[in-house]
Amino acid sequence: MELSVGQVAKRAEVTVSALHFYEQKGMIASWRNQGNQRRYDSSVLRRIAVIKTGQQLGLSLEEIKQALASLPIDRAPSQEEWEAMGKKWKSILDDKIWLMTKLRDELGECIGCGCLSLNRCRLRNPDDELGALGNGATLWKKND
Ligand code: FES
């Protein structure tokens, strides 16, 4: 079943400009009919649902794009394809939850401080692995 841009926008509850943006980014696809009007396969509704869900989960546009790249663009995904995408998202979310929990637990040091120093603030620079080697350009010094 093919849908017009207006029908997709209404059924997916997104703006037409959002559809154009998703298409420009290669996240959804359409074709032109003989009247040069944009048409979408109804499976685009599921892809948009994936985009909106990914956004609600706090995933980046790139993470959502990678998930969509693993799904067929012209038909509904199989159960196996859904499960594979779900596993990738679970892994991404596990990493984000770990990082957010770590930042939350270390926030106490920052309350009332406000320095946001790259050298000592774990909130501003949570993965400062080089910081463990010392202050300044440690990598440059190390390789000199
Ligand atoms: S704001 Fe000062 S240590 Fe984080």
Side-chain angles (χ1 to χ4, degrees):
M1 181 174 143
E2 65 180 52
L3 302 169
S4 70
V5 67
Q7 289 171 317
V8 173
K10 184 175 181 183
R11 289 178 62 174
E13 298 181 349
V14 297
T15 62
V16 170
S17 62
L19 291 176
H20 292 163
F21 176 77
Y22 299 152
E23 195 164 347
Q24 187 182 36
K25 296 293 181 187
M27 301 168 88
I28 62 172
S30 69
W31 69 91
R32 298 280 179 167
N33 67 9
Q34 290 182 336
N36 199 31
Q37 295 171 321
R38 197 181 300 262
R39 291 291 182 257
Y40 296 88
D41 184 85
S42 60
S43 62
V44 76
L45 297 172
R46 191 160 305 215
R47 291 181 75 83
I48 296 168
V50 168
I51 294 169
K52 292 172 74 176
T53 302
Q55 290 170 332
Q56 287 175 328
L57 292 172
L59 300 181
S60 70
L61 190 64
E62 194 55 41
E63 290 167 333
I64 297 170
K65 277 179 69 174
Q66 286 176 9
L68 287 170
S70 70
L71 300 177
I73 200 159
D74 57 349
R75 63 170 171 78
S78 67
Q79 184 67 32
E80 292 77 25
E81 289 165 334
W82 277 124
E83 286 176 12
M85 191 199 83
K87 281 182 184 171
K88 285 182 194 164
W89 275 16
K90 183 180 182 310
S91 174
I92 292 169
L93 290 172
D94 284 346
D95 289 347
K96 288 183 187 293
I97 289 167
W98 177 84
L99 179 60
M100 294 303 286
T101 302
K102 183 174 171 232
L103 291 174
R104 180 205 60 202
D105 293 347
E106 294 173 355
L107 183 62
E109 297 171 23
C110 295
I111 293 175
C113 176
C115 72
L116 295 175
S117 164
L118 274 173
N119 288 335
R120 67 183 195 97
C121 179
R122 307 274 298 161
L123 197 60
R124 172 89 166 92
N125 191 11
D127 297 316
D128 186 12
E129 294 171 14
L130 292 177
L133 301 175
N135 291 332
T138 54
L139 197 59
W140 177 73
K141 287 179 190 169
K142 190 176 170 186
N143 293 330
D144 191 30

